[in-house]
Amino acid sequence: MYRCKLIISSFFLSLFIFFGCKKNEQDPFFNGATALSISGDAKQGAVGDSLVFSFGVLNSDVTDTLIKLHMRAIGAPVDQDRQFVLSVNSQLSDAQSDEYEIEKNFIIPANSLSAIVPIRIKRSARTESASATLVMDVSVNENFIPGPKLEIVGQPTSGPRFTLRWTSQLTKPAAWDDFPYAALYFCLGEYSTAKHQIIIDATGITTYDDVMAVSDRWYYIYNKCLEWLNTYNQAHPDAPLRDENGDIVEFPIF
Amino acid sequence: MKKTTCYIYFLLLAGTILFPMCKKDNGNYNYIELPAFSIDTTGVGRVSVEQNATLALAPKITFKGDHGTLSFLWRIYLASGRGVIDTLSTADKLEETIANAPGSYFIELQVKEPKNGITALAVYNLTVQEQDAVPSGWLVFENKDGILDLSLVSSNTFISGSNVPELVYRDLLYTRNLENLSGTARQIQRKNSEIILLTTDDMLAVSASTFKINRHFNQFFFNASDAPFVKDAKSYINNGKAFVNGTDVYRGSGNFFNSKIISPDSKGYEAAPYLIAGSYNDFFYDQLNGRYILMSEGSIVGRPFTKKGDLSLFSPENTGRKMLLGGQGYPIVSDYYEELVLSSWGIFTDKVETDRRYLMILNEDNGALANVDVSSAANIRVADLFSVGNLNSFALYSDGQTIRKIQVDMVKGTTAIFGDAGFISPGQEVITAMEIYKPTNQFLFVATWNELTKEGKLYLVQMNEVSGDLTEIVKVWTGFGKIEAMGSKIN
């Protein structure tokens, strides 16, 4: 009986030792190749491996903005500049060439492991009713291979691909006519994106969850929208402002 | 048979009710005459005390009996809202430190008579002021060699109450803020716990108790960057919802201004420097088009004055006149929200016959009320001061030397009696400001300036609240700069 137990224990022990000698193929950097990954800027609204940007909540004078991609090299720094290749994934992207600007040459500076790639995205007639998508991939070159996807809770994902999506469309805020306040409906009437844009242009206010009817903030929005519309219509006496449905924009007058 | 049965039942019922009334009353009680017992609060008025100061009240108790048997209970509680009822004292005279937070309170006195178990009750209105608070009084906005400051006179000649000090608080702005103001003083307006000061260069809000500056001009706007340049600021409405900057009217939520009033049509407007406050709608006079324009609550879109009233007097939408002087007063009407609002009075000139002068009166409830040709009133063409009574249809005006009155026949609305009111500035003094003391309508404050002695004086003149006649100079304060505006500060 004792011999039987000894044989079984020895078998399992040799099994563990044998597999303990197996080469670790889970580590892609085992061969020492340096990799490069992309992430967005949390301050600009990057979430996960993408960033969605809306020009709609900005004053209509704002026609473009700069998005920063953070490039991070994995491996040891070297004492010379290293070029890397960032390519547009044409199969996953639909942004038109005149809707963004990006540099051609990208470099991780000597003795550094990071760089910032600015991409200028633009408002266009198309983005007034649709969104533009730009998918950027790290391509292999003599210096880098695409880095692994690293997810850290609460931070933008770092990985070999980053997706940028932007639009100029506005969406109706829940606070417009939902319970409990319906504050904006009370002072500005039925929702239209034209009215929504007037609020933003006239006041710069883009969030409305805390706007209560007859509060100072509510009066401010109402008064400034009336003023903005009056100024516009006076400048266009024969063409009063119309909304996306072709209706003349009007606000309730108390 | 049926009839007989009915009679029997009726007699039985009547007997049941009437028979017990013959029973002798054996109740164990008798009647006694209760002693006269009351607390006299006549003349006490509103009581003010600084926080952590001692409040003394000695009630006058009428009681035909032994005062030594009475028990006393003094209590304090908030005048509105929920709060704790605190016992202050059980002594016959109150002399206690009031530690309650600044605000309005009631002080209640219960006096019990043990023999017959009766209680007399009195309630006093108490204002607890911040420490170092300035009491109620009359504010004067004076100019001393180009520097503006405020002084306050306090006296029980015009303020009721048992603890009104006889004092003059001078240079309140500088002593409380170490700050000077420039320009010309325009207006003093009370708004809740603040006093609004309007000058040609600035608008300030100061605490009504400490006179610390709370806000300057830009801070009256929800977004300070929306504030215009101060352009000869002229009038701040008493409900705080509008003010005139040059010829523009600004409006907002009541707490903040937001935007300029938009003309109701393409004609535009030029606002006269006299605003008329209502509760929901306020209005102003458009000098450019000779019309009144309404301003709704919270809206910046001007609207036509649609309440036309008696159009045979004048049309508020087209008077053809320019406003020279304005004021508010009689009649006081109750508006849609049952709030009391004053009527608008104004001295106007005809845009064509520029030597003519008219007095026009209207309010939002009734429309036009009076249109009187006052061209024959003495020195009306050079009048630069105007004040309207609240209790009867008269206005006082002054040319700087004499105060005269206009008494309007409000039934016809077309005639008036003119005459001297009873005040002529003494010697080299020139009248620089004149305001009816509206809490009572029984006094007129008159400010004078003597260019030779460089001294400003303040006269308190007894006024008949019905006729506007000025009967007697009650008090004179001296040693001021040139007083350019005045207003009451009642806590």
Side-chain angles (χ1 to χ4, degrees), chain A residues 72-110:
Chain A
R72 176 156 287 277
I74 300 166
V78 298
D79 58 1
Q80 60 185 17
D81 289 353
R82 288 178 289 176
Q83 275 202 324
F84 62 90
V85 178
L86 203 56
S87 51
V88 173
N89 186 320
S90 57
Q91 287 191 319
L92 298 176
S93 302
D94 65 1
Q96 308 296 307
S97 58
D98 59 350
E99 290 174 339
Y100 67 92
E101 288 174 13
I102 188 168
E103 292 175 21
K104 303 289 183 200
N105 295 312
F106 310 110
I107 288 172
I108 298 288

mmCIF file of all heavy atoms in Angstrom, chain A residues 72-110:
data_model
loop_
_atom_site.group_PDB
_atom_site.id
_atom_site.type_symbol
_atom_site.label_atom_id
_atom_site.label_comp_id
_atom_site.label_asym_id
_atom_site.label_seq_id
_atom_site.Cartn_x
_atom_site.Cartn_y
_atom_site.Cartn_z
ATOM 1 N N ARG A 72 3.443 55.147 -26.633
ATOM 2 C CA ARG A 72 4.360 54.690 -25.585
ATOM 3 C C ARG A 72 5.119 53.465 -26.090
ATOM 4 O O ARG A 72 4.520 52.491 -26.548
ATOM 5 C CB ARG A 72 3.585 54.343 -24.314
ATOM 6 C CG ARG A 72 4.463 53.763 -23.217
ATOM 7 C CD ARG A 72 3.870 53.974 -21.851
ATOM 8 N NE ARG A 72 3.982 55.367 -21.426
ATOM 9 C CZ ARG A 72 5.069 55.909 -20.861
ATOM 10 N NH1 ARG A 72 6.153 55.176 -20.660
ATOM 11 N NH2 ARG A 72 5.086 57.164 -20.491
ATOM 12 N N ALA A 73 6.457 53.580 -26.027
ATOM 13 C CA ALA A 73 7.316 52.468 -26.463
ATOM 14 C C ALA A 73 7.530 51.507 -25.304
ATOM 15 O O ALA A 73 7.629 51.925 -24.147
ATOM 16 C CB ALA A 73 8.652 53.011 -26.953
ATOM 17 N N ILE A 74 7.571 50.239 -25.619
ATOM 18 C CA ILE A 74 7.813 49.216 -24.588
ATOM 19 C C ILE A 74 9.178 48.606 -24.877
ATOM 20 O O ILE A 74 9.438 48.141 -25.987
ATOM 21 C CB ILE A 74 6.724 48.147 -24.616
ATOM 22 C CG1 ILE A 74 5.368 48.825 -24.341
ATOM 23 C CG2 ILE A 74 6.998 47.047 -23.594
ATOM 24 C CD1 ILE A 74 4.190 47.961 -24.660
ATOM 25 N N GLY A 75 10.034 48.633 -23.889
ATOM 26 C CA GLY A 75 11.414 48.189 -24.087
ATOM 27 C C GLY A 75 12.350 49.257 -23.559
ATOM 28 O O GLY A 75 11.911 50.260 -23.000
ATOM 29 N N ALA A 76 13.630 49.044 -23.745
ATOM 30 C CA ALA A 76 14.605 49.993 -23.202
ATOM 31 C C ALA A 76 14.756 51.210 -24.124
ATOM 32 O O ALA A 76 14.657 51.083 -25.343
ATOM 33 C CB ALA A 76 15.952 49.311 -23.050
ATOM 34 N N PRO A 77 14.955 52.409 -23.544
ATOM 35 C CA PRO A 77 15.207 53.576 -24.396
ATOM 36 C C PRO A 77 16.565 53.454 -25.096
ATOM 37 O O PRO A 77 17.458 52.779 -24.594
ATOM 38 C CB PRO A 77 15.201 54.733 -23.405
ATOM 39 C CG PRO A 77 15.472 54.127 -22.078
ATOM 40 C CD PRO A 77 14.985 52.724 -22.113
ATOM 41 N N VAL A 78 16.678 54.112 -26.218
ATOM 42 C CA VAL A 78 17.958 54.095 -26.953
ATOM 43 C C VAL A 78 18.409 55.530 -27.171
ATOM 44 O O VAL A 78 17.625 56.468 -27.015
ATOM 45 C CB VAL A 78 17.820 53.360 -28.303
ATOM 46 C CG1 VAL A 78 17.438 51.907 -28.113
ATOM 47 C CG2 VAL A 78 16.788 54.067 -29.182
ATOM 48 N N ASP A 79 19.687 55.684 -27.549
ATOM 49 C CA ASP A 79 20.245 57.035 -27.634
ATOM 50 C C ASP A 79 20.110 57.661 -29.017
ATOM 51 O O ASP A 79 20.889 58.514 -29.419
ATOM 52 C CB ASP A 79 21.708 57.020 -27.193
ATOM 53 C CG ASP A 79 22.534 56.077 -28.038
ATOM 54 O OD1 ASP A 79 21.934 55.460 -28.964
ATOM 55 O OD2 ASP A 79 23.731 55.942 -27.775
ATOM 56 N N GLN A 80 19.099 57.237 -29.782
ATOM 57 C CA GLN A 80 18.851 57.877 -31.084
ATOM 58 C C GLN A 80 17.349 57.898 -31.364
ATOM 59 O O GLN A 80 16.594 57.104 -30.806
ATOM 60 C CB GLN A 80 19.587 57.149 -32.188
ATOM 61 C CG GLN A 80 19.165 55.695 -32.337
ATOM 62 C CD GLN A 80 20.005 54.980 -33.375
ATOM 63 O OE1 GLN A 80 21.070 55.450 -33.759
ATOM 64 N NE2 GLN A 80 19.538 53.844 -33.832
ATOM 65 N N ASP A 81 16.955 58.866 -32.208
ATOM 66 C CA ASP A 81 15.541 58.959 -32.571
ATOM 67 C C ASP A 81 15.108 57.674 -33.273
ATOM 68 O O ASP A 81 15.883 57.091 -34.034
ATOM 69 C CB ASP A 81 15.315 60.137 -33.529
ATOM 70 C CG ASP A 81 15.478 61.473 -32.821
ATOM 71 O OD1 ASP A 81 15.634 61.470 -31.586
ATOM 72 O OD2 ASP A 81 15.466 62.510 -33.511
ATOM 73 N N ARG A 82 13.862 57.286 -32.978
ATOM 74 C CA ARG A 82 13.348 56.080 -33.642
ATOM 75 C C ARG A 82 12.047 56.423 -34.359
ATOM 76 O O ARG A 82 11.106 56.945 -33.752
ATOM 77 C CB ARG A 82 13.094 54.986 -32.608
ATOM 78 C CG ARG A 82 14.355 54.378 -32.038
ATOM 79 C CD ARG A 82 14.046 53.342 -30.996
ATOM 80 N NE ARG A 82 13.527 53.923 -29.750
ATOM 81 C CZ ARG A 82 13.115 53.196 -28.716
ATOM 82 N NH1 ARG A 82 13.122 51.896 -28.776
ATOM 83 N NH2 ARG A 82 12.690 53.801 -27.631
ATOM 84 N N GLN A 83 12.018 56.162 -35.632
ATOM 85 C CA GLN A 83 10.802 56.411 -36.414
ATOM 86 C C GLN A 83 9.781 55.307 -36.129
ATOM 87 O O GLN A 83 10.166 54.167 -35.828
ATOM 88 C CB GLN A 83 11.141 56.418 -37.899
ATOM 89 C CG GLN A 83 11.643 57.773 -38.396
ATOM 90 C CD GLN A 83 11.468 57.923 -39.892
ATOM 91 O OE1 GLN A 83 11.617 56.940 -40.607
ATOM 92 N NE2 GLN A 83 11.196 59.120 -40.342
ATOM 93 N N PHE A 84 8.540 55.658 -36.222
ATOM 94 C CA PHE A 84 7.511 54.612 -36.150
ATOM 95 C C PHE A 84 6.446 54.910 -37.206
ATOM 96 O O PHE A 84 6.366 56.032 -37.736
ATOM 97 C CB PHE A 84 6.914 54.498 -34.748
ATOM 98 C CG PHE A 84 6.200 55.727 -34.251
ATOM 99 C CD1 PHE A 84 4.833 55.905 -34.475
ATOM 100 C CD2 PHE A 84 6.892 56.707 -33.546
ATOM 101 C CE1 PHE A 84 4.181 57.026 -33.995
ATOM 102 C CE2 PHE A 84 6.228 57.836 -33.071
ATOM 103 C CZ PHE A 84 4.886 58.002 -33.293
ATOM 104 N N VAL A 85 5.660 53.899 -37.478
ATOM 105 C CA VAL A 85 4.651 54.029 -38.543
ATOM 106 C C VAL A 85 3.263 53.930 -37.922
ATOM 107 O O VAL A 85 2.963 52.967 -37.202
ATOM 108 C CB VAL A 85 4.835 52.923 -39.612
ATOM 109 C CG1 VAL A 85 3.751 53.049 -40.696
ATOM 110 C CG2 VAL A 85 6.209 53.007 -40.217
ATOM 111 N N LEU A 86 2.490 54.947 -38.202
ATOM 112 C CA LEU A 86 1.098 54.973 -37.748
ATOM 113 C C LEU A 86 0.247 55.056 -39.007
ATOM 114 O O LEU A 86 0.353 56.020 -39.769
ATOM 115 C CB LEU A 86 0.901 56.215 -36.873
ATOM 116 C CG LEU A 86 -0.232 56.210 -35.869
ATOM 117 C CD1 LEU A 86 -0.150 55.030 -34.923
ATOM 118 C CD2 LEU A 86 -0.209 57.510 -35.074
ATOM 119 N N SER A 87 -0.581 54.063 -39.239
ATOM 120 C CA SER A 87 -1.323 54.059 -40.509
ATOM 121 C C SER A 87 -2.820 54.086 -40.269
ATOM 122 O O SER A 87 -3.325 53.610 -39.241
ATOM 123 C CB SER A 87 -0.933 52.844 -41.333
ATOM 124 O OG SER A 87 -1.043 51.687 -40.553
ATOM 125 N N VAL A 88 -3.512 54.681 -41.226
ATOM 126 C CA VAL A 88 -4.968 54.748 -41.156
ATOM 127 C C VAL A 88 -5.521 53.416 -41.650
ATOM 128 O O VAL A 88 -5.163 52.960 -42.741
ATOM 129 C CB VAL A 88 -5.504 55.902 -42.031
ATOM 130 C CG1 VAL A 88 -7.018 55.876 -42.091
ATOM 131 C CG2 VAL A 88 -4.992 57.232 -41.515
ATOM 132 N N ASN A 89 -6.363 52.815 -40.830
ATOM 133 C CA ASN A 89 -7.002 51.563 -41.238
ATOM 134 C C ASN A 89 -8.161 51.923 -42.163
ATOM 135 O O ASN A 89 -9.239 52.319 -41.721
ATOM 136 C CB ASN A 89 -7.493 50.818 -39.999
ATOM 137 C CG ASN A 89 -8.034 49.452 -40.320
ATOM 138 O OD1 ASN A 89 -8.712 49.278 -41.327
ATOM 139 N ND2 ASN A 89 -7.714 48.488 -39.468
ATOM 140 N N SER A 90 -7.921 51.789 -43.451
ATOM 141 C CA SER A 90 -8.897 52.264 -44.437
ATOM 142 C C SER A 90 -10.178 51.438 -44.423
ATOM 143 O O SER A 90 -11.239 51.929 -44.816
ATOM 144 C CB SER A 90 -8.277 52.280 -45.824
ATOM 145 O OG SER A 90 -7.821 50.978 -46.121
ATOM 146 N N GLN A 91 -10.063 50.196 -43.968
ATOM 147 C CA GLN A 91 -11.270 49.355 -43.967
ATOM 148 C C GLN A 91 -12.229 49.756 -42.844
ATOM 149 O O GLN A 91 -13.442 49.631 -42.992
ATOM 150 C CB GLN A 91 -10.869 47.890 -43.780
ATOM 151 C CG GLN A 91 -10.218 47.321 -45.051
ATOM 152 C CD GLN A 91 -10.076 45.828 -44.969
ATOM 153 O OE1 GLN A 91 -9.728 45.299 -43.910
ATOM 154 N NE2 GLN A 91 -10.296 45.141 -46.095
ATOM 155 N N LEU A 92 -11.648 50.244 -41.750
ATOM 156 C CA LEU A 92 -12.504 50.595 -40.606
ATOM 157 C C LEU A 92 -12.782 52.098 -40.528
ATOM 158 O O LEU A 92 -13.583 52.525 -39.704
ATOM 159 C CB LEU A 92 -11.835 50.137 -39.291
ATOM 160 C CG LEU A 92 -11.603 48.634 -39.162
ATOM 161 C CD1 LEU A 92 -10.854 48.324 -37.865
ATOM 162 C CD2 LEU A 92 -12.928 47.879 -39.193
ATOM 163 N N SER A 93 -12.105 52.878 -41.349
ATOM 164 C CA SER A 93 -12.269 54.341 -41.280
ATOM 165 C C SER A 93 -13.171 54.836 -42.398
ATOM 166 O O SER A 93 -13.187 54.271 -43.497
ATOM 167 C CB SER A 93 -10.907 55.035 -41.418
ATOM 168 O OG SER A 93 -10.036 54.600 -40.406
ATOM 169 N N ASP A 94 -13.934 55.919 -42.077
ATOM 170 C CA ASP A 94 -14.707 56.554 -43.153
ATOM 171 C C ASP A 94 -14.508 58.071 -43.172
ATOM 172 O O ASP A 94 -15.177 58.776 -43.906
ATOM 173 C CB ASP A 94 -16.192 56.207 -43.034
ATOM 174 C CG ASP A 94 -16.833 56.764 -41.776
ATOM 175 O OD1 ASP A 94 -16.127 57.436 -41.002
ATOM 176 O OD2 ASP A 94 -18.038 56.543 -41.564
ATOM 177 N N ALA A 95 -13.593 58.556 -42.350
ATOM 178 C CA ALA A 95 -13.330 60.008 -42.339
ATOM 179 C C ALA A 95 -12.729 60.421 -43.688
ATOM 180 O O ALA A 95 -11.865 59.714 -44.224
ATOM 181 C CB ALA A 95 -12.375 60.351 -41.211
ATOM 182 N N GLN A 96 -13.206 61.546 -44.215
ATOM 183 C CA GLN A 96 -12.700 62.042 -45.489
ATOM 184 C C GLN A 96 -11.361 62.740 -45.249
ATOM 185 O O GLN A 96 -11.088 63.239 -44.149
ATOM 186 C CB GLN A 96 -13.693 63.032 -46.114
ATOM 187 C CG GLN A 96 -15.124 62.500 -46.229
ATOM 188 C CD GLN A 96 -15.220 61.309 -47.176
ATOM 189 O OE1 GLN A 96 -14.769 61.378 -48.320
ATOM 190 N NE2 GLN A 96 -15.759 60.200 -46.690
ATOM 191 N N SER A 97 -10.557 62.787 -46.291
ATOM 192 C CA SER A 97 -9.203 63.336 -46.130
ATOM 193 C C SER A 97 -9.218 64.810 -45.713
ATOM 194 O O SER A 97 -8.275 65.293 -45.086
ATOM 195 C CB SER A 97 -8.408 63.167 -47.427
ATOM 196 O OG SER A 97 -9.109 63.811 -48.477
ATOM 197 N N ASP A 98 -10.298 65.524 -46.064
ATOM 198 C CA ASP A 98 -10.344 66.933 -45.675
ATOM 199 C C ASP A 98 -11.001 67.129 -44.301
ATOM 200 O O ASP A 98 -11.244 68.250 -43.878
ATOM 201 C CB ASP A 98 -11.097 67.744 -46.733
ATOM 202 C CG ASP A 98 -12.521 67.249 -46.944
ATOM 203 O OD1 ASP A 98 -12.859 66.165 -46.405
ATOM 204 O OD2 ASP A 98 -13.297 67.932 -47.637
ATOM 205 N N GLU A 99 -11.283 66.040 -43.630
ATOM 206 C CA GLU A 99 -11.915 66.158 -42.318
ATOM 207 C C GLU A 99 -10.913 66.006 -41.176
ATOM 208 O O GLU A 99 -11.292 66.091 -40.014
ATOM 209 C CB GLU A 99 -13.032 65.112 -42.170
ATOM 210 C CG GLU A 99 -14.227 65.420 -43.069
ATOM 211 C CD GLU A 99 -15.280 64.319 -43.056
ATOM 212 O OE1 GLU A 99 -14.948 63.162 -42.699
ATOM 213 O OE2 GLU A 99 -16.441 64.620 -43.400
ATOM 214 N N TYR A 100 -9.664 65.771 -41.496
ATOM 215 C CA TYR A 100 -8.641 65.676 -40.455
ATOM 216 C C TYR A 100 -7.273 65.977 -41.037
ATOM 217 O O TYR A 100 -7.064 65.935 -42.258
ATOM 218 C CB TYR A 100 -8.648 64.294 -39.793
ATOM 219 C CG TYR A 100 -8.230 63.167 -40.687
ATOM 220 C CD1 TYR A 100 -6.903 62.737 -40.753
ATOM 221 C CD2 TYR A 100 -9.165 62.527 -41.511
ATOM 222 C CE1 TYR A 100 -6.523 61.705 -41.595
ATOM 223 C CE2 TYR A 100 -8.792 61.495 -42.351
ATOM 224 C CZ TYR A 100 -7.465 61.086 -42.392
ATOM 225 O OH TYR A 100 -7.078 60.073 -43.230
ATOM 226 N N GLU A 101 -6.343 66.293 -40.158
ATOM 227 C CA GLU A 101 -4.949 66.527 -40.557
ATOM 228 C C GLU A 101 -4.066 65.760 -39.589
ATOM 229 O O GLU A 101 -4.278 65.808 -38.379
ATOM 230 C CB GLU A 101 -4.587 68.015 -40.457
ATOM 231 C CG GLU A 101 -5.213 68.887 -41.530
ATOM 232 C CD GLU A 101 -4.929 70.370 -41.284
ATOM 233 O OE1 GLU A 101 -4.059 70.673 -40.438
ATOM 234 O OE2 GLU A 101 -5.604 71.196 -41.901
ATOM 235 N N ILE A 102 -3.050 65.073 -40.141
ATOM 236 C CA ILE A 102 -2.117 64.337 -39.295
ATOM 237 C C ILE A 102 -0.727 64.410 -39.927
ATOM 238 O O ILE A 102 -0.596 64.456 -41.156
ATOM 239 C CB ILE A 102 -2.579 62.863 -39.111
ATOM 240 C CG1 ILE A 102 -1.704 62.152 -38.073
ATOM 241 C CG2 ILE A 102 -2.634 62.109 -40.420
ATOM 242 C CD1 ILE A 102 -2.267 60.810 -37.629
ATOM 243 N N GLU A 103 0.273 64.440 -39.088
ATOM 244 C CA GLU A 103 1.644 64.526 -39.622
ATOM 245 C C GLU A 103 2.019 63.231 -40.353
ATOM 246 O O GLU A 103 1.395 62.193 -40.179
ATOM 247 C CB GLU A 103 2.628 64.750 -38.467
ATOM 248 C CG GLU A 103 2.481 66.110 -37.817
ATOM 249 C CD GLU A 103 3.388 66.244 -36.594
ATOM 250 O OE1 GLU A 103 4.363 65.480 -36.506
ATOM 251 O OE2 GLU A 103 3.075 67.081 -35.749
ATOM 252 N N LYS A 104 3.094 63.321 -41.134
ATOM 253 C CA LYS A 104 3.518 62.140 -41.906
ATOM 254 C C LYS A 104 4.603 61.357 -41.177
ATOM 255 O O LYS A 104 4.649 60.139 -41.257
ATOM 256 C CB LYS A 104 4.052 62.574 -43.279
ATOM 257 C CG LYS A 104 3.059 63.376 -44.107
ATOM 258 C CD LYS A 104 1.925 62.497 -44.597
ATOM 259 C CE LYS A 104 0.983 63.307 -45.496
ATOM 260 N NZ LYS A 104 -0.321 62.679 -45.616
ATOM 261 N N ASN A 105 5.499 62.097 -40.523
ATOM 262 C CA ASN A 105 6.636 61.428 -39.880
ATOM 263 C C ASN A 105 6.454 61.433 -38.363
ATOM 264 O O ASN A 105 6.159 62.472 -37.771
ATOM 265 C CB ASN A 105 7.946 62.144 -40.222
ATOM 266 C CG ASN A 105 8.247 62.035 -41.698
ATOM 267 O OD1 ASN A 105 8.180 60.948 -42.263
ATOM 268 N ND2 ASN A 105 8.537 63.166 -42.321
ATOM 269 N N PHE A 106 6.685 60.231 -37.820
ATOM 270 C CA PHE A 106 6.519 60.106 -36.382
ATOM 271 C C PHE A 106 7.810 59.603 -35.770
ATOM 272 O O PHE A 106 8.419 58.660 -36.292
ATOM 273 C CB PHE A 106 5.384 59.135 -36.067
ATOM 274 C CG PHE A 106 4.118 59.439 -36.822
ATOM 275 C CD1 PHE A 106 3.692 58.589 -37.840
ATOM 276 C CD2 PHE A 106 3.372 60.560 -36.540
ATOM 277 C CE1 PHE A 106 2.539 58.855 -38.535
ATOM 278 C CE2 PHE A 106 2.217 60.828 -37.237
ATOM 279 C CZ PHE A 106 1.779 59.992 -38.244
ATOM 280 N N ILE A 107 8.182 60.195 -34.655
ATOM 281 C CA ILE A 107 9.468 59.844 -34.038
ATOM 282 C C ILE A 107 9.322 59.714 -32.525
ATOM 283 O O ILE A 107 8.682 60.566 -31.884
ATOM 284 C CB ILE A 107 10.539 60.912 -34.367
ATOM 285 C CG1 ILE A 107 10.926 60.797 -35.837
ATOM 286 C CG2 ILE A 107 11.773 60.769 -33.477
ATOM 287 C CD1 ILE A 107 11.823 61.920 -36.302
ATOM 288 N N ILE A 108 9.910 58.656 -32.003
ATOM 289 C CA ILE A 108 10.130 58.581 -30.551
ATOM 290 C C ILE A 108 11.529 59.169 -30.348
ATOM 291 O O ILE A 108 12.513 58.613 -30.832
ATOM 292 C CB ILE A 108 10.105 57.125 -30.041
ATOM 293 C CG1 ILE A 108 8.747 56.470 -30.289
ATOM 294 C CG2 ILE A 108 10.481 57.065 -28.555
ATOM 295 C CD1 ILE A 108 7.629 56.967 -29.408
ATOM 296 N N PRO A 109 11.640 60.297 -29.646
ATOM 297 C CA PRO A 109 12.946 60.937 -29.532
ATOM 298 C C PRO A 109 13.973 60.070 -28.803
ATOM 299 O O PRO A 109 13.604 59.152 -28.062
ATOM 300 C CB PRO A 109 12.651 62.209 -28.720
ATOM 301 C CG PRO A 109 11.197 62.404 -28.813
ATOM 302 C CD PRO A 109 10.591 61.048 -28.978
ATOM 303 N N ALA A 110 15.233 60.369 -29.029
ATOM 304 C CA ALA A 110 16.321 59.641 -28.380
ATOM 305 C C ALA A 110 16.150 59.678 -26.861
ATOM 306 O O ALA A 110 15.726 60.697 -26.299
ATOM 307 C CB ALA A 110 17.658 60.284 -28.767
#
